[in-house]
Amino acid sequence: MVDLTRLRSLQGIKWAKYADSVLPAWVADMDFAPAPEVTDAIAAMVDRGDLGYNFVALDALGETWAQWQQRHHGWSPPVDELWSFTGAMHALEAIMVLDTRPGDGIVILTPIYEPFRAAVVDSGRRVVDVPLDPDGWRLDPERLEAAVDPGTRAVLMCQPHNPTGRVFDAAELAALAEVAERRDLLVISDEIWGDLTHEPHRHLPVAAADDRLAGRTVSIGSASKAFNITGLRCAVAHVGSARVRRALQAFPTHLLGSPSSLSAAATVAAWTVGEAWLETTRVALTERRDHLAVRLAADGRIAYEPAEATYLAWLDLTATGLGDNPSKRLLYEAGVALEPGLRFGSQGAGWARLNFATSAELLD
């Protein structure tokens, strides 16, 4: 159960953007309160007045994330190949700009989280659009191979995938590895949804999926989505590419910034003592996903393939007669805010993304 009064008091954009007559189910924040272990870690620092040069949690970030990956995903990224960033997009953009040049082609697997496309365009790189197969949103290796040209340098991907909720499987990642090795592509994999899979699905880290990917993948992790602390701005990246590691080491120490002491402390707490809260939350999210699927199936007008991961439902509203941007009609005529499908690319025409990380009552 979530407290609607608490939600209406929040100043984050999910609940603050629209009037109280609108139920927001758009941006990817959960309606659940964060883990008390996380908020306690922040409160303890504030209560101590410990807001000076405190690097204890910052220094522990890499080792803590590596241990979390081993416990939960069977992967042990070398600690000396880890970098901290102020967020997943910070890491993705910094690595892409470091390792490519303006005009280089960057593959995105569409539909895709819109900031990926914006990062490519805003940095003067060239979008190489590789649509996923709409029948299951699988990666088509032949389509990927055909799209990659001599000027293509990197692939941006999210594993698990946003907005479809797919977990790319071993066969898909092997196909990616074959193309990436042959075309010498860097793979930048945003894996911040990896802790929010639904049984029986398991997160498969891209760098661990195939030996051909290990040395050419940058894997980005964060507690932000799983623990509902997106505003704290903290991420860790394993930089498997020696070339990219050298480029990072050549940068001035402070140019890329750093997470704050508070965000690092919260993240370390999440990865060390937050597992019980996360498991309870995962169960609740699967229940909400299934509840949503039952309600939609009973109505029959909206097609939905239950997500394998994330708390995001990728909804096919093309049969409803609501047009290419059904979220606009739903907002102004029904008072429900969803993320427009077109924000994720042209494949999103007639689609919308719904955030089901809330109570069953609000979903209803």
Side-chain angles (χ1 to χ4, degrees), residues 283-335:
V283 170
L285 291 175
T286 300
E287 290 175 351
R288 301 301 187 273
R289 179 200 66 165
D290 295 345
H291 180 78
L292 175 67
V294 168
R295 292 299 306 272
L296 292 175
D299 178 87
R301 290 172 293 178
I302 299 173
Y304 171 50
E305 184 66 30
E308 298 172 353
T310 80
Y311 49 76
L312 307 171
W314 185 230
L315 304 180
D316 180 358
L317 291 95
T318 54
T320 63
L322 294 176
D324 284 351
N325 188 8
S327 64
K328 185 174 182 179
R329 293 278 300 277
L330 291 168
L331 175 62
Y332 290 108
E333 297 180 27

Side-chain angles (χ1 to χ4, degrees), residues 108-117 129-139 143 156-158 160-166 168 314-315 340-349 351-353:
I108 57 173
L109 306 175
T110 56
I112 193 64
Y113 179 54
E114 187 275 337
F116 280 32
R117 183 185 296 272
D129 194 327
V130 178
L132 297 171
D133 185 344
D135 183 15
W137 303 111
R138 293 184 60 83
L139 173 61
R143 189 176 295 158
L156 305 185
M157 64 184 299
C158 41
H161 188 260
N162 176 8
T164 68
R166 272 293 320 286
F168 294 115
W314 185 230
L315 304 180
L342 284 169
R343 188 164 188 252
F344 303 91
S346 60
Q347 285 176 289
W351 292 67
R353 193 191 73 178

